[in-house]
Amino acid sequence: MNQNIEKNRLENISVAVVDDHEVVLEGYKSFLLKHSVGNVEAFTSATAMLNRTPDRSFDVFILDVELPDLNVTALIENIREQQPKAKILINTIHEEMWVVNRMIENKVDGVMYKTNQLDQLLEAIIAVLDGKKFYCPKFRKLMNKLQMQNVVLTKREIDVVRSIAMGLSTKEIAHQLFISENTVESHRQKIFEKLGVRNMAELIVKAIADGYINVKIPT
């Protein structure tokens, strides 16, 4: 890597970092500015960032998975609608399979974990600017594990599973997801078939074991 060339490239880009932990934000912002990134703006919420994007174009967005005001899928959709040429990097601590699956479905440009060295952040930015995907080794390992399971629930099926785990009825799930009760039952049947379970208890155990739902979800 020619450091002078990469330095010149970084000086001409604008990066948005979204994370609800101010200490994390300041750390990333300081690191990126120190390593010649021309403009770095930090936001503690999705709303704050989306209020800024009509006036400012960003080349790269670095997003946390869990934000207090908007789920990451909706945020990604908003970014792509407003700034379709921008690259999207996910920076998270979450290794659950449902998170891995959702990032794959959202076709993000790169995924890193907060346990990675900060130098990898620069590698990721340069890679996605070159039109490449950047998945850190840990994420690649989890992707391979997901493929080996040979069972991939769709985004909607995951939503149904998580709703079931929260103890919602078919009617409540239909209302929450804006679908019919018949559609909920159809999803439920497909989920049972895919996961090879016979009842609700087995479904919850299997979904937790495969990482499709967070064990912290109340029952």
Side-chain angles (χ1 to χ4, degrees):
M1 180 185 297
N2 187 312
Q3 293 185 348
N4 290 329
I5 293 175
E6 298 305 344
K7 181 179 179 181
N8 290 337
R9 291 182 68 194
L10 293 173
E11 287 176 346
N12 293 312
I13 69 169
S14 186
V15 175
V17 187
V18 189
D19 196 295
D20 61 338
H21 295 91
E22 291 190 16
V23 173
V24 173
L25 277 181
E26 290 306 313
Y28 287 139
K29 182 175 181 179
S30 175
F31 175 82
L32 292 173
L33 291 174
K34 181 180 177 180
H35 287 81
S36 304
V37 175
N39 179 64
V40 182
E41 296 190 28
F43 305 92
T44 56
S45 70
T47 302
M49 189 274 290
L50 291 173
N51 286 337
R52 177 64 167 145
T53 47
D55 303 313
R56 161 70 74 176
S57 294
F58 293 97
D59 300 285
V60 179
F61 289 85
I62 301 173
L63 312 177
D64 192 6
V65 167
E66 285 194 335
L67 295 169
D69 54 339
L70 191 65
N71 72 69
V72 71
T73 296
L75 179 56
I76 289 170
E77 290 173 353
N78 272 275
I79 291 171
R80 285 177 172 158
E81 182 178 345
Q82 293 186 20
Q83 302 193 19
K85 294 183 179 180
K87 305 298 182 180
I88 297 174
L89 290 172
I90 298 298
N91 190 41
T92 182
I93 61 171
H94 292 282
E95 300 178 21
E96 298 92 338
M97 285 302 174
W98 69 267
V99 175
V100 175
N101 191 54
R102 187 150 293 187
M103 294 307 98
I104 294 171
E105 287 186 344
N106 285 320
K107 298 179 181 179
V108 296
D109 297 290
V111 180
M112 300 164 293
Y113 287 101
K114 293 181 180 180
T115 53
N116 295 147
Q117 296 294 322
L118 282 177
D119 287 347
Q120 200 169 75
L121 193 59
L122 293 176
E123 291 180 41
I125 290 172
I126 291 168
V128 299
L129 288 175
D130 284 337
K132 303 173 184 176
K133 296 289 186 183
F134 185 93
Y135 298 139
C136 71
K138 181 181 289 186
F139 187 76
R140 288 187 180 277
K141 184 177 180 180
L142 292 171
M143 285 176 64
N144 290 337
K145 182 179 178 181
L146 185 65
Q147 292 170 354
M148 288 174 65
Q149 288 177 350
N150 201 30
V151 175
V152 179
L153 300 184
T154 66
K155 177 181 179 297
R156 179 59 80 195
E157 287 169 347
I158 293 172
D159 290 337
V160 171
V161 169
R162 299 189 76 193
S163 297
I164 291 172
M166 294 172 66
L168 300 184
S169 66
T170 296
K171 184 176 182 180
E172 290 170 329
I173 295 172
H175 178 74
Q176 177 175 284
L177 301 180
F178 302 102
I179 57 179
S180 70
E181 292 182 37
N182 286 339
T183 300
V184 173
E185 288 302 322
S186 177
H187 283 310
R188 190 194 305 267
Q189 182 178 351
K190 290 179 181 178
I191 292 166
F192 271 54
E193 291 174 356
K194 283 186 175 183
L195 298 184
V197 297
R198 298 167 296 178
N199 54 50
M200 303 299 287
E202 289 184 5
L203 169 63
I204 301 301
V205 171
K206 177 66 173 174
I208 290 174
D210 288 353
Y212 283 112
I213 60 175
N214 193 320
V215 294
K216 293 182 180 180
I217 292 177
T219 57

